[in-house]
Amino acid sequence: MTDAGFATGWRLVRGLPEPVARHAFRLGADLAARRDGPGAHRLRVNLHRVVPDATPDELDALVRAGLRSYARYWCEAFRLPAMDRAAVLARMDPHVTGMAPMFEALQQGRGVVAALPHSGNWDLAGLWFVETQRRMGRPARFTTVVERLRPESLYRRFVAYRESLGFEVLAVGDGPVVYRTLTQRLREGGLVCLVADRDLSASGLEVSFFGEPARLPTGPARLAALTGALLVPAFPSFTPDGWAAAMGDPIPVPERGGRDDVAKATQALADALASLIATAPHDWHMLQRVWSADLQDRGR
C-alpha cells in the first residue's frame, strides 16, 4: 500500500497544474502543523535548539514554515521528472554560491566529499550539479548513499527516480561494498554527496551541535582522510520562486589522518552545518531525533 501510494503520487501530482499541486501540499502542511503529530512535534523540538530565543508564537510560525518547506520538497519530488529542467536550472543558477573550490578540485582530478543536511530540495541540487558538469564537458554523475526504505519495491522506485537524475545510488547497510565504491569514486576524482546531519550507523561520533551533544557520522571526514579528497559542507535551500545551494569553506582534513584528525574534522563539519542551517532553519527537514539527550529519552 505504501509503494502504491507513492506510485500514485508520482503519476497524479505531476499531472496537476503547478499552482494546484503547490496549494494542495501547502494545505497538507498547515493541517499537520495544527495537529502537531509526532513528526511536527519532533521538528518543533529540533528547531527550538536551532532558534532557542524564539517565542512560542515565533516557534509556531517556524514549525509551520518548516512543514511547508518539507511539503514543497515532496511536491517537487513527484513533479521533477516532468519539469522543464532547463527552466529549473536557470532559476537556480543565480542562487548557487561557494562552488569554486569544489570545481577547482574536480578540475585538478581531486575527489570531493560534499556533506549536507536534510534541507531544501537535495534532489534538485544534485540535478543542478549533474547538469552543470555536463555543461562543463565533465562526467555528469555523482555518488550518494541513501537509507534502504521498506518495502523493497518503494526503495527501488526511489533509486530509479534518482538514477534518472544522474545519481549513482548506494544503500546504507549494504556492507563493505559501499565504502569500497565511495573510496574508488573519490580516488578517480569524482564527487560523493553524503547526508551528514544524522547518524544512521549507530557508530557516529558525539560532537557539539548547536551547543548540545549530538551523534553525527564520521564517514565524510574518514573518506576525505583516506583518499585526500576535499571536504566541503553544503546547504540546499529554497527561494520564494526557486532554489538555492551554498557551499561553506572547505574543512581541513590531513591525508591519511588518524582518529583525532577525523574527530576534529567532524566537529568542524558540525559547526559548519549549524552555521548554514541557521541561515534558513525552516528549510531544515529534520523530523527525527538527532541530539544525544533525545536518543536517550527514547530508550527509557
Side-chain angles (χ1 to χ4, degrees):
M1 290 180 63
T2 300
D3 182 39
F6 276 91
T8 301
W10 259 299
R11 186 174 64 253
L12 294 183
V13 176
R14 75 176 66 178
L16 293 173
E18 181 179 0
V20 174
R22 283 185 177 273
H23 183 65
F25 276 77
R26 186 184 178 101
L27 287 178
D30 290 349
L31 178 61
R34 288 196 297 272
R35 288 181 172 175
D36 195 30
H41 177 74
R42 177 50 47 193
L43 181 63
R44 178 183 302 276
V45 172
N46 291 341
L47 288 176
H48 183 59
R49 287 185 167 96
V50 178
V51 190
D53 295 332
T55 66
D57 287 345
E58 290 170 341
L59 191 57
D60 286 344
L62 184 57
V63 171
R64 183 170 60 253
L67 291 172
R68 286 178 175 180
S69 177
Y70 190 42
R72 176 177 170 180
Y73 163 75
W74 280 109
C75 181
E76 293 176 356
F78 289 132
R79 294 180 56 81
L80 186 52
M83 292 169 72
D84 183 336
R85 293 191 180 187
V88 166
L89 297 173
R91 287 161 63 184
M92 185 169 179
D93 277 339
H95 305 290
V96 178
T97 60
M99 300 292 166
M102 178 181 71
F103 285 128
E104 288 172 5
L106 294 172
Q107 189 67 31
Q108 295 166 6
R110 183 183 181 188
V112 175
V113 178
L116 60 154
H118 293 77
S119 64
N121 189 329
W122 47 88
D123 294 331
L124 201 145
L127 177 63
W128 179 90
F129 172 80
V130 168
E131 294 303 322
T132 299
Q133 288 288 85
R134 194 189 310 279
R135 287 182 284 186
M136 297 170 66
R138 289 184 47 82
R141 197 168 184 82
F142 72 91
T143 304
T144 189
V145 181
V146 301
E147 292 184 67
R148 184 176 286 280
L149 302 174
R150 292 289 184 268
E152 180 69 14
S153 57
L154 178 60
Y155 167 72
R156 291 197 301 269
R157 191 180 298 278
F158 267 96
V159 168
Y161 161 61
R162 288 181 169 128
E163 287 179 343
S164 75
L165 303 178
F167 305 0
E168 179 184 23
V169 181
L170 308 174
V172 172
D174 275 1
V177 66
V178 174
Y179 204 69
R180 285 200 302 268
T181 302
L182 296 176
T183 300
Q184 180 181 349
R185 298 294 180 265
L186 291 171
R187 286 176 171 159
E188 293 170 346
L191 172 68
V192 166
C193 292
L194 299 175
V195 177
D197 59 347
R198 179 172 169 239
D199 178 38
L200 297 176
S201 66
S203 61
L205 178 74
E206 189 163 86
V207 297
S208 175
F209 189 47
F210 288 100
E212 290 192 37
R215 300 195 72 86
L216 297 188
T218 59
R222 286 194 290 116
L223 284 166
L226 180 64
T227 65
L230 187 73
L231 175 60
V232 288
F235 183 65
S237 60
F238 291 119
T239 67
D241 61 349
W243 305 269
M247 284 281 193
D249 293 334
I251 294 171
V253 187
E255 188 169 0
R256 302 292 177 182
R259 182 178 301 177
D260 290 345
D261 296 312
V262 168
K264 182 178 179 180
T266 301
Q267 179 61 68
L269 178 59
D271 294 339
L273 292 178
S275 295
L276 290 167
I277 291 168
T279 65
H282 56 282
D283 281 336
W284 186 41
H285 308 149
M286 183 47 68
L287 279 67
Q288 292 83 26
R289 301 170 190 264
V290 174
W291 280 271
S292 299
D294 297 335
L295 294 171
Q296 292 165 2
D297 288 343
R298 181 174 58 184
R300 291 175 183 170

